[in-house]
């Protein structure tokens, strides 16, 4: 244990600038219960190494990561390296029952993967049950040695992890919701680096302090690790210069407020060019549909060195939770950098053109209090979790676990975003995958619907980034909308928020053999079944086939 900690410390001391490229980095994640006292409640929570948020992991592009997860709690566990492509190493992706069986209590598993052509900020998190509420942390990938950022070198880098906190045990919250068939209790606080901050009514204290020197530039690596809420983030008086999202560089632009959906990351430059003082940092929800939300604002402080003790903090108000215009303006400002060094490789030709309706609705439920349960679906399929991993079933050709007939279009077209949609969906259940050949190109129009009411859905794809080539309100119209697609510098990311009552078109090249999950990153929607998976076949050349599973891969 001690030697592992030394190894960890050594790596953090070496960074940045001193390590060799392509090195092997070892981390140990010890999953343990830990009592917390600094938040709204004093209770034991599941943690990695006793930390909340969990440890940040550091790497350089080209490095191989060996992360040994030892499960010392009574929950099953699995960890997802969100946004890491996992080229040919799907066994290390992490979603339980998709690419692996869970790491059961007292078992361990070493995630082994190489970071290929990626650099920037990502996150890791538990991908089983609701455990990612407390099991999450940053992945910081520096460019290769000698390769500068495509923006001015910051004085310092600061990780800002945004989260959501329940006073109750999160597993009790989701279990209660699932057995009642209703929406779960909302969280009790939002957090910035694990603290709700001084303005919350949580017990304790000061909140996270970002200590800064005047006249310098800081690179903030902002991560939304919340379960169910997209978050606005702003700093009183200061502009944030956005330079990267989801570990891909973007054309820099200045914003007062940024928006980060669960699973997304944003790198922004902060220049400390105002009067010496203290400035409030806020993180607050963006929700523009009529649902119950946790409307608390997490606060932290930007603290310039040399601020007199008597100086009062400069405050700022968060945007209203339904500030759709601010959210839309932010997402419309994002474009790939598309430079010679970082070209935008958007597929121009499409092999599979898919339309996925993203819906919530209700099904009959005899055991539920009101006789109905809330469900979610894509193209009328509510995903049913298998009992062994899909990747296992695919690799070893085990029949009866899944079918590869996921519908590429809605089975029964209707006015998706029209005002009066029958809430009673009667969805079908199934473990259905969509199969594509190696290196084929896929376009998916993610179509929001008005079932129950329109709601925003941050959709995450595993195994590949995608390009966001189009976006609009209402129903997608192929004749009209395709003409306006951006095929020059669309933003490239791994998670995209589909606006409530609108659609988003994404494209990706299926050059990563394996089984890859696609799901809403609002955890409650995933729990309700808003998920499916792609099966990408092996190619013929070298490095075009899924590797065999590692020896310590957990068994079901
Ligand atoms: C947490 O605190 C409770 C009582 O306050 C104690 O019984 C329990 O052992 C503690 N758990 C851990 C993991 O420290
Ligand atoms: C990690 O995986 C690679 C194959 O991708 C393999 O060569 C290597 O031996 C593995 N390392 C460990 C420690 O299992
Ligand atoms: C959810 O909230 C209700 C009402 O406040 C409360 O009675 C219930 O105990 C909560 N459930 C959990 C699991 O905390
Ligand atoms: C936040 O929600 C609570 C409970 O729903 C409500 O009483 C309060 O007025 C809301 N606050 C704001 C600022 O919207
Ligand atoms: C936002 O919500 C407030 C109440 O919280 C409401 O008064 C206002 O009309 C809403 N704005 C929009 C644009 O829906
Ligand atoms: C919209 O975003 C641009 C940056 O792309 C910014 O200059 C402008 O102030 C924003 N407008 C609003 C209303 O937020
Ligand atoms: C979903 O499928 C069920 C069962 O076939 C059918 O009754 C229902 O109308 C379908 N709903 C939609 C929106 O396609
Ligand atoms: C994938 O397809 C593209 C476009 O057709 C082609 O340029 C590329 O060489 C292909 N890659 C592989 C590995 O087959
Ligand atoms: C296959 O991958 C290995 C390891 O990433 C690399 O060294 C080798 O050059 C690749 N081979 C080809 C033909 O791309
Ligand atoms: C943990 O996972 C195993 C393998 O899938 C399963 O048999 C067991 O029921 C799970 N345990 C719990 C507590 O969910």
């Amino acid at each position: 244990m001690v030697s592992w900690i030394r190894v960890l410390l050594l790596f953090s001391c070496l960074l940045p600038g001193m390590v060799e490229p392509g090195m092997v980095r070892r981390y140990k994640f010890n999953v343990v219960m830990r009592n917390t006292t600094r938040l709204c409640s004093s209770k034991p929570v599941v943690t990695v190494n006793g930390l909340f948020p969990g440890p940040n992991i550091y790497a350089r592009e080209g490095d191989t990561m060996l992360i040994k997860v030892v499960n010392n709690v009574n929950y099953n566990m699995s960890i997802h390296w969100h946004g890491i492509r996992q080229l040919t190493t799907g066994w290390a992706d992490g979603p339980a029952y998709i690419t692996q069986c869970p790491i059961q209590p007292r078992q361990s598993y070493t995630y082994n993967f190489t970071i290929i052509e990626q650099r920037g900020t990502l996150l890791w998190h538990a991908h089983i049950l609701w455990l990612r509420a407390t099991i999450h942390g940053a992945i910081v990938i520096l460019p290769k040695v000698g390769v500068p950022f495509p923006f001015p070198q910051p004085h310092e880098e600061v990780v800002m992890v945004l989260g959501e906190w329940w006073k109750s045990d999160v597993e009790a919250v989701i279990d209660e919701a699932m057995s009642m068939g209703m929406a779960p209790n909302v969280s009790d606080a939002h957090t910035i680096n694990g603290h709700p901050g001084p303005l919350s009514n949580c017990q304790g204290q000061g909140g996270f302090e970002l200590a800064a020197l005047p006249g310098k530039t800081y690179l903030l690596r902002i991560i939304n690790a919340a379960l169910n809420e997209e978050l606005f983030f702003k700093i009183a008086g200061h502009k944030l210069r956005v330079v990267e999202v989801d570990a891909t560089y973007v054309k820099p632009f200045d914003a007062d407020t940024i928006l980060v959906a669960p699973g997304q990351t944003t790198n922004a430059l902060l220049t400390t060019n105002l009067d010496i003082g203290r400035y409030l940092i806020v993180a607050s929800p963006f929700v523009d549909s009529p649902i119950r939300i946790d409307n608390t604002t997490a606060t932290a402080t930007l603290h310039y060195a040399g601020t007199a003790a008597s100086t009062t903090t400069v405050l700022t108000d968060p945007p209203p939770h339904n500030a759709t215009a601010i959210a839309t303006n932010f997402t419309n400002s994002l474009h790939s950098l598309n430079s010679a060094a970082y070209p935008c490789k958007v597929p121009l030709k499409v092999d599979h053109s898919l339309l996925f309706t993203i819906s919530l609705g209700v099904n009959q439920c005899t055991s539920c209090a009101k006789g109905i349960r809330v469900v979610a679906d894509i193209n009328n399929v509510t995903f049913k979790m298998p009992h062994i991993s899909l990747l296992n079933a695919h690799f070893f050709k085990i029949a009866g676990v899944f079918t590869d007939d996921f519908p590429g279009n809605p089975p029964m077209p209707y006015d998706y975003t029209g005002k009066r949609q029958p809430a009673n969906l009667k969805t079908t259940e199934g473990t259905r995958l969509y199969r594509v050949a190696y290196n084929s190109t896929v376009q998916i129009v993610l179509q929001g619907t008005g079932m129950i009411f329109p709601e925003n859905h941050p959709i995450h794809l595993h195994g590949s980034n995608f390009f966001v080539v189009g976006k609009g309100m209402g129903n997608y119209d192929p004749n009209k909308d395709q003409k306006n697609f951006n095929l020059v510098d669309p933003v490239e990311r791994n998670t995209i928020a589909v606006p409530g009552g609108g659609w988003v078109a994404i494209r990706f090249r299926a050059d990563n053999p394996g089984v890859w999950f696609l799901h809403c990153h609002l955890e409650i929607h995933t729990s309700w079944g808003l998920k499916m998976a792609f099966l990408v076949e092996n190619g013929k050349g070298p490095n075009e086939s899924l590797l065999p599973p590692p020896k310590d891969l957990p068994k079901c």
Side-chain angles (χ1 to χ4, degrees), residues 315-333:
L315 301 179
T316 185
D317 284 327
H321 68 79
N322 55 2
T324 309
I326 294 178
T328 307
N329 188 43
F330 179 78
T331 47
N332 287 349
S333 303

Side-chain angles (χ1 to χ4, degrees), residues 225-244:
L227 284 192
N228 294 322
E229 277 165 13
E230 300 186 21
L231 294 168
F232 288 123
F233 177 92
K234 66 190 277 206
I235 304 182
H238 293 73
K239 293 262 186 230
L240 293 164
R241 190 161 184 79
V242 178
V243 291
E244 183 214 297

Side-chain angles (χ1 to χ4, degrees), residues 168 172-173 176 185:
S168 307
V173 172
E176 178 183 72
N185 287 358

Side-chain angles (χ1 to χ4, degrees), residues 33-47 50-52 134 165-167 194 203:
M33 298 304 292
R34 175 69 179 257
N35 279 340
T36 53
T37 50
R38 78 166 114 97
L39 283 139
C40 290
S41 49
S42 166
K43 61 167 187 184
V45 294
V46 191
T47 67
L51 302 170
F52 174 70
T134 54
W165 182 263
W166 275 260
K167 290 181 183 172
Q203 73 193 38

Side-chain angles (χ1 to χ4, degrees), residues 166-177 183-186 188 292:
W166 275 260
K167 290 181 183 172
S168 307
D169 172 12
V170 286
E171 287 311 313
V173 172
I174 180 59
D175 288 350
E176 178 183 72
N185 287 358
V186 297
D188 298 296
R292 280 187 59 218

